[in-house]
Amino acid sequence: MNDYGVEESGTGAAAGRPTPVDVVVIGAGQAGLSAAFHLRRGGLEPDRDYVVLDHAPRPGGAWQFRWPSLTYGKVHGMHALPGMELTGADPARPSSEVIGGYFDAYEQTFDLRIHRPVDVTAVRDGEAGRLLVETSEGTYTARALINATGTWDRPFWPRYPGQETFRGRQLHTAGYPGPAEFTGKRVLVVGGGASGTQHLMEIADVAADTFWVTRREPVWREGPFGEMEGRAAVALVEERVRRGLPPKSVVSVTGLPLNDAIRAARARGILDRLPMFDRITPTGVAWDDGRTVDVDVILWATGFRAAIDHLTPLRLREPGGGIRVEGTRAVRDERVHLVGYGPSASTIGANRAGRAAVSDVRRLLRRATAAGPAAPAAPAAVPAPTPPTAFPGGAVAPAPATAAG
């Protein structure tokens, strides 16, 4: 038992009583690992000063659940985690294997000691200004919380009249198995984002027929998408979050990029869009103008919502339905930071958000230490370890060490 009341073995929260730590990180995807890295590099010790809790069965964040046909070469804009590059990965391998292996190597290289699988059920106010984090391995008390739970666990299923009468198969992107299961089927894809277009182009090669339905006309983006355009798009998403509205994806404001594959699919008629139907029938969908389409499968590529229900006891939501944040800090509670939320949902945004959140959390901890009894001295910063020479997804190489902000 150390001075923080945590078992030195680091096996999790002690049974029957809360275990105090300075920081709890929830989620070990891109944003959570970035936060863990910067906590570690800033001198905080895992399983003593902070814990990282992840409910997934293995490393890889949401990437481990991606469909096999989403190869690494099809992934757009995967940015390396801080401190270690991803190099030499085979573009033909499934992204779940490549990125899962990369995350696994990253966790081991920096000794991040992720607790998994651990479900976080609720975060509440505790005593003496601490937060109570209730989990499947016990309860933690923390001075600060970094929430990095992403969206994968909350697929959004729209509801339409007659939906329960459909005799075919309905599934969401979260359960998409790849194109083979749709061979010879008539498939309707609902949703105007990147996943919807990717599903359509794959399925069209094996299906008897495909149809594409979106609520709004797709917006196609031509030309380069540079730093200025990226910042403008992120600013639009950030403005919603600042106003306390539920965040939208960056793609929703940037439009869909026109590349050679998209142009070819449009020329073949695969991406001929239909307006949103009005109801679902036992055999397909129908519009109020009398049009109908009979299909065997409805695939909902309708996106995800932020997985933040465990934060409900803290009452952080605004009347608009979202959590208002400044930077990464929840406006209603300075102890809580959300990373990978809204404008930081992209991989590069998640990296930056992890660092920014840790910088803010460390200031909070310093204030708490100055206001209360002296805390044990922080351990020395961990030197950059020697990375593994290879992993199942490709080689990894350490980037130059950077000081925590």
Side-chain angles (χ1 to χ4, degrees):
M1 185 79 68
N2 65 24
D3 292 329
Y4 283 89
V6 179
E7 296 291 343
E8 293 288 356
S9 61
T11 56
R17 56 186 175 81
T19 299
V21 291
D22 280 335
V23 186
V24 170
V25 179
I26 307 176
Q30 187 106 9
L33 292 182
S34 172
F37 170 87
H38 287 295
L39 287 168
R40 191 91 158 99
R41 300 292 280 189
L44 279 74
E45 181 75 15
D47 290 331
R48 190 192 74 176
D49 305 324
Y50 74 93
V51 292
V52 183
L53 311 175
D54 187 33
H55 87 130
R58 54 190 178 274
W63 291 100
Q64 65 193 273
F65 305 114
R66 297 297 201 269
W67 50 98
S69 57
L70 181 62
T71 58
Y72 184 63
K74 296 179 182 178
V75 171
H76 300 293
M78 170 63 197
H79 291 270
L81 286 158
M84 180 185 288
E85 294 295 325
L86 167 56
T87 60
D90 181 355
R93 295 195 66 191
S95 61
S96 58
E97 295 180 8
V98 172
I99 299 173
Y102 170 53
F103 280 20
D104 188 14
Y106 190 86
E107 292 177 14
Q108 294 182 47
T109 297
F110 295 107
D111 190 26
L112 298 181
R113 305 180 209 171
I114 311 300
H115 294 216
R116 65 166 57 90
V118 177
D119 294 321
V120 175
T121 54
V123 181
R124 310 178 188 278
D125 269 316
E127 297 179 356
R130 285 180 168 266
L131 295 163
L132 279 177
V133 184
E134 299 171 1
T135 85
S136 58
E137 71 171 12
T139 300
Y140 292 92
T141 68
R143 298 182 188 275
L145 177 81
I146 298 177
N147 191 83
T149 46
T151 62
W152 187 258
D153 296 319
R154 283 203 63 199
F156 175 62
W157 291 76
R159 297 300 172 194
Y160 281 85
Q163 194 162 0
E164 71 284 354
T165 70
F166 182 62
R167 294 196 295 263
R169 180 184 181 188
Q170 295 188 63
L171 72 160
H172 190 276
T173 290
Y176 177 67
E181 289 193 23
F182 306 100
T183 301
K185 305 290 187 181
R186 291 168 59 84
V187 181
L188 174 71
V189 177
V190 184
S195 294
T197 57
Q198 289 175 3
H199 295 337
L200 272 165
M201 291 189 291
E202 288 189 342
I203 293 170
D205 289 335
V206 299
D209 207 351
T210 59
F211 305 89
W212 187 30
V213 171
T214 69
R215 285 193 303 151
R216 290 180 290 271
E217 283 280 357
V219 176
W220 303 102
R221 186 185 75 237
E222 294 200 67
F225 189 77
E227 183 176 352
M228 182 180 298
E229 292 83 2
R231 286 183 177 179
V234 168
L236 290 173
V237 178
E238 190 171 22
E239 175 58 25
R240 283 185 60 87
V241 173
R242 190 178 293 115
R243 290 160 51 201
L245 298 173
K248 287 187 175 181
S249 68
V250 173
V251 171
S252 71
V253 297
T254 63
L256 295 163
L258 268 176
N259 53 35
D260 291 342
I262 292 287
R263 290 188 180 93
R266 294 181 75 186
R268 293 171 56 193
I270 295 170
L271 297 178
D272 288 345
R273 171 258 183 189
L274 295 170
M276 198 66 203
F277 50 78
D278 296 296
R279 62 190 178 279
I280 298 175
T281 69
T283 59
V285 298
W287 289 259
D288 286 344
D289 62 8
R291 286 180 297 172
T292 62
V293 169
D294 288 343
V295 294
D296 304 299
V297 180
I298 300 176
L299 173 54
W300 298 92
T302 45
F304 300 79
R305 299 292 184 263
I308 53 176
D309 287 351
H310 55 286
L311 301 179
T312 299
L314 296 177
R315 299 181 179 181
L316 301 177
R317 290 185 189 270
E318 300 293 331
I323 297 177
R324 190 156 58 101
V325 300
E326 291 289 346
T328 64
R329 177 179 53 82
V331 170
R332 288 180 179 263
D333 194 328
E334 69 171 353
R335 301 168 298 177
V336 179
H337 286 259
L338 286 88
V339 295
Y341 179 82
S344 64
S346 65
T347 57
I348 189 169
N351 283 355
R352 292 170 177 168
R355 177 170 183 158
V358 169
S359 179
D360 209 352
V361 164
R362 290 179 66 202
R363 284 193 290 270
L364 179 80
L365 297 180
R366 286 195 292 269
R367 291 203 311 270
T369 299
V382 178
T386 302
T389 57
F391 71 98
V396 293
T402 56

